[in-house]
Amino acid sequence: MSRPPTAEPPAAEAPPRRPVLFVNPRSGGGAAGRARLSDHARELGIEAIELDPGQRLDELVADAIDDGADAVGAAGGDGSIATVAAVACARDVPFVCVPAGTRNHFARDLGVDPRDPARALGAFAAGIERRVDVGEVDGRVFLNNVSFGVYGEAVRAAGYRDAKLRTLLQTAEEVLGPGGDAGGLRVVDDLGIEHRGPALLLASNNPYAPRRPGARGVRPALDGGRLGIVVVDSPAPRTPPRARAWTAPALVVDGDREIVHAGLDGESVDLRMPLRIAVRPGALRVRVLAPRSRSVRDAGSPRPARAS
């Protein structure tokens, strides 16, 4: 009696001829150095460029592609990874994510194990190419999320990276307390309700899954073609704050200010209002090792996601 056929793993794509890895040695408290990622990359025939303070990472990536790089990767935190991915997206060049940051949100949602960053280098030569969505706001690409209000103000604080929870609580007290200013934002939700001056507004590249308090937020997919949007209104006296979550392909944000502070993939940025935040379905080519994550789909049209 013959055995039933088994599913064959997808074949790896042809390896790039000139792969380049950009290494941020300061991310994650020096995680890239501890993992010897530059050395491992060079042993695999990957050009490794370590970043010095003050260098423009986006310009370095663009120059490398102009010089013939046909796949680029980033070893660092979410900010460095997003910068390299944005250039790869604009140039339609495959991208490899090597987690070497503190939280590695995008890598985790992509299915890359942050406990073994050196293994992720194998995606250059033996990876499977898939397409995932990116978000865009004010001409800037983001992989995880853009946030306003309490978080958008907190990322500007000098001590944010060393004490995130304490800084968030202090910022919340300043922004939401008497005389505070929650940013003067205005946004309309999927029910047509206008939210003015919310305590928090977050738009993510694909929605996060509902989770237990204190659990790590994850996105079950990176190819749904929709933003995950959460708005938390500033609380009134003796009234719990009202919150609303929904999904949409795009979101318009207006407000009383010309410039608004925001957190973009964990980095502090100033954005000009009004803003249009949108998803670009399948815009980023990523190379990942098999077996691939459920977060990554085969190439083709993005599957529809139901509104929440």
Side-chain angles (χ1 to χ4, degrees), residues 35 43 66 69 91 101 108 112 125 127 130 145 149 158 164 174 183 185 190 211 217 225 229 274 285 288 294:
E43 291 168 1
D66 288 342
R91 300 295 190 92
R108 292 175 186 274
V112 180
R130 297 292 181 259
N145 58 64
K164 291 192 174 185
E174 294 170 2
L185 301 179
D190 58 327
R211 57 191 179 94
I229 306 164
R285 299 165 62 187
V288 294
R294 62 196 174 114

Side-chain angles (χ1 to χ4, degrees), residues 142-147 151 202-205 208 219 263-266:
F142 62 90
L143 301 179
N144 297 322
N145 58 64
V146 57
S147 55
Y151 186 78
L202 181 142
S204 59
N205 172 28
Y208 291 96
R219 288 167 290 178
L264 190 73
D265 282 344

Side-chain angles (χ1 to χ4, degrees), residues 6-294:
T6 58
E8 293 293 330
E13 307 288 339
R17 295 183 300 276
R18 191 190 162 194
V20 178
L21 176 71
F22 295 88
V23 181
N24 187 342
R26 294 169 298 283
S27 295
R34 292 192 298 273
R36 298 181 55 246
L37 292 179
S38 294
D39 293 338
H40 287 308
R42 292 170 183 134
E43 291 168 1
L44 295 172
I46 302 164
E47 180 181 354
I49 299 176
E50 293 198 1
L51 307 178
D52 294 324
Q55 287 182 303
R56 284 287 304 268
L57 178 54
D58 55 345
E59 294 178 356
L60 292 175
V61 180
D63 289 344
I65 295 173
D66 288 342
D67 288 342
D70 55 351
V72 294
D78 286 318
S80 302
I81 285 170
T83 298
V84 178
V87 181
C89 183
R91 300 295 190 92
D92 197 31
V93 170
F95 171 73
V96 173
C97 176
V98 181
T102 302
R103 287 167 175 78
N104 304 302
H105 293 300
F106 183 69
R108 292 175 186 274
D109 292 344
L110 195 61
V112 180
D113 188 353
R115 297 169 297 181
D116 189 5
R119 182 176 183 273
L121 296 171
F124 278 105
I128 303 155
E129 186 173 310
R130 297 292 181 259
R131 285 190 174 269
V132 299
D133 305 340
V134 301
E136 188 173 67
V137 56
D138 199 24
R140 299 170 185 248
V141 166
F142 62 90
L143 301 179
N144 297 322
N145 58 64
V146 57
S147 55
F148 309 87
V150 172
Y151 186 78
E153 296 291 338
V155 294
R156 298 170 59 83
Y160 172 72
R161 297 191 183 284
D162 295 328
K164 291 192 174 185
L165 179 59
R166 185 177 67 222
T167 305
L168 279 170
L169 292 174
Q170 290 174 345
T171 305
E173 184 177 356
E174 294 170 2
V175 171
L176 304 179
D181 184 356
L185 301 179
R186 293 192 300 272
V187 65
V188 177
D189 66 25
D190 58 327
L191 300 179
I193 299 171
E194 183 180 63
H195 300 260
R196 288 179 171 267
L200 172 70
L201 172 63
L202 181 142
S204 59
N205 172 28
N206 284 262
Y208 291 96
R211 57 191 179 94
R212 303 184 311 276
R216 185 185 303 276
V218 296
R219 288 167 290 178
L222 291 172
D223 60 357
R226 298 179 75 85
L227 299 170
I229 306 164
V230 178
V231 61
V232 179
D233 291 330
S234 297
R238 297 181 298 278
T239 303
R242 181 181 61 173
R244 174 73 185 155
W246 72 100
T247 71
L251 177 72
V252 174
V253 181
D254 205 346
D256 301 329
R257 296 179 178 177
E258 181 180 0
I259 301 295
V260 62
H261 304 317
L264 190 73
D265 282 344
E267 302 292 328
S268 176
V269 298
D270 290 336
L271 302 175
R272 187 175 299 276
M273 300 256 253
L275 296 169
R276 184 178 187 273
I277 309 171
V279 158
R280 292 171 54 190
L284 178 64
R285 299 165 62 187
V286 294
R287 291 180 67 95
V288 294
L289 286 173
R292 63 186 178 91
S293 160
R294 62 196 174 114

